[in-house]
């Protein structure tokens, strides 16, 4: 599987004929790669997964879904909101269940955050925030934590799903900072590869993943700190 980071929490996971775009904050993303266009990134996308309703995660989702006919997977409230924007191909979920999409299974997990969209100066509630589990037959399980703080039920997430690929927010202020993110990874999980995110986008969050890498100590070799636009095989 090929995993590509586009800055902030936007990732694409590609395998066989499937292309999953997570939290596609592309337009207006200060860390989006200058050598790429939104059309290049979104061409051929078959699925869009949204962890929660903040604008820096919903991003270009509606435009992508309308253009590609891709399937939206997210919580019930976000899917119903998207339906009001004209999106018909929706896969509404909530914490605890797992859905087989045909080429992969997806589950939503708890996340410690919030979820709303700013509309006309008001916050529109868009359900609970989530992390996302992706299970592809014959491949390692991927866990995109979304935006979250550490919480002890991460131990249950590991026990239930056994994820080996972790996408982990490390930017502080709105999510875990480096030290706490490293504690989450080493205390609750046995990841083979970790990709930090949610840093370097805005001045008020951490500008690098250095504090996370340092705090990982002997497990720092598992950390794959990408530049926006870079990919790894997972």
């Amino acid at each position: 599987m090929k995993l590509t980071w586009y800055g902030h929490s936007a990732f694409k996971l590609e395998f066989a004929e499937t292309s999953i775009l997570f939290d596609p904050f592309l337009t207006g993303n200060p860390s989006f790669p200058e050598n790429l266009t939104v059309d290049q990134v979104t061409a051929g996308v078959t699925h869009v997964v949204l962890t929660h309703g903040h604008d820096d995660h919903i991003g270009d989702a509606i435009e992508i879904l309308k253009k590609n006919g891709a399937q939206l997977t997210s919580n019930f409230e976000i899917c119903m909101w998207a339906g009001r924007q004209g999106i018909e191909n929706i896969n509404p979920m909530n914490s605890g269940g797992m859905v087989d999409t045909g080429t992969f299974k997806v589950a939503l997990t708890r996340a410690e955050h919030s979820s709303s969209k700013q509309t006309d100066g008001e916050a529109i509630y868009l359900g609970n925030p989530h992390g996302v589990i992706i299970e592809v037959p014959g491949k390692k399980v991927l866990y995109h934590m979304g935006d979250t703080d550490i919480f002890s039920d991460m131990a249950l997430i590991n026990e239930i799903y056994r994820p080996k690929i972790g996408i982990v927010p490390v930017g502080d202020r709105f999510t875990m900072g480096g030290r706490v993110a490293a504690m989450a990874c080493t205390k609750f999980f046995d990841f083979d590869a970790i990709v930090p995110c949610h840093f370097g986008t805005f001045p008020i969050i951490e500008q690098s993943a250095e504090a996370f890498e340092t705090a990982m100590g002997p497990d720092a070799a598992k950390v794959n700190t990408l530049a926006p636009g870079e990919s790894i095989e997972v």
Side-chain angles (χ1 to χ4, degrees), residues 124-142:
I124 306 301
Y125 169 72
L126 286 178
N128 292 328
H130 289 102
V132 180
I133 295 288
I134 301 291
E135 291 187 358
V136 179
K139 304 294 184 181
K140 295 179 179 180
V141 176
L142 181 144

Side-chain angles (χ1 to χ4, degrees), residues 7 12 54 61 67 96 111 165-166 187:
K12 183 160 62 178
H54 288 155
K67 183 175 181 178
I165 311 300
K187 183 177 181 67

Side-chain angles (χ1 to χ4, degrees), residues 3-199:
L3 182 67
T4 306
W5 186 45
Y6 297 107
H8 210 53
S9 293
F11 287 84
K12 183 160 62 178
L13 182 68
E14 299 170 276
F15 53 93
E17 303 301 316
T18 300
S19 178
I20 308 171
L21 198 56
F22 299 88
D23 289 355
F25 174 43
L26 308 175
T27 301
N29 178 354
S31 58
F32 183 74
E34 294 182 357
N35 64 326
L36 294 175
T37 67
V38 172
D39 285 344
Q40 287 174 317
V41 170
T42 59
V45 165
T46 57
H47 296 77
V48 173
V49 176
L50 299 178
T51 62
H52 64 289
H54 288 155
D55 291 306
D56 58 338
H57 293 259
I58 287 180
D60 298 288
I62 297 300
E63 292 77 11
I64 296 166
L65 292 162
K66 286 181 176 179
K67 183 175 181 178
N68 289 25
Q71 183 181 77
L72 171 65
T73 293
S74 194
N75 70 37
F76 178 83
E77 286 81 3
I78 289 176
C79 284
M80 295 304 102
W81 168 82
R84 294 192 294 273
Q85 318 307 310
I87 305 305
E88 297 181 358
N89 190 0
I90 57 173
N91 179 31
M93 300 185 65
N94 218 314
S95 304
M98 176 167 272
V99 173
D100 189 339
T101 71
T103 58
F104 65 94
K105 293 181 179 180
V106 56
L108 300 183
T109 71
R110 173 183 165 189
E112 287 292 316
H113 197 57
S114 58
S115 178
S116 63
K117 181 173 176 59
Q118 296 296 315
T119 302
D120 298 327
E122 294 187 8
I124 306 301
Y125 169 72
L126 286 178
N128 292 328
H130 289 102
V132 180
I133 295 288
I134 301 291
E135 291 187 358
V136 179
K139 304 294 184 181
K140 295 179 179 180
V141 176
L142 181 144
Y143 174 31
H144 189 320
M145 292 185 178
D147 281 9
T148 191
D149 189 10
I150 193 173
F151 53 95
S152 59
D153 282 353
M154 285 180 169
L156 285 176
I157 293 172
N158 183 64
E159 184 176 352
I160 295 167
Y161 300 108
R162 300 295 181 188
K164 291 299 181 181
I165 311 300
I167 296 176
V168 181
V170 303
D172 218 338
R173 184 180 288 267
F174 299 109
T175 70
M176 298 179 288
R179 181 180 66 84
V180 175
M183 181 184 297
C185 289
T186 57
K187 183 177 181 67
F188 296 120
F189 298 99
D190 184 25
F191 291 129
D192 291 339
I194 302 165
V195 181
C197 67
H198 211 279
F199 66 90

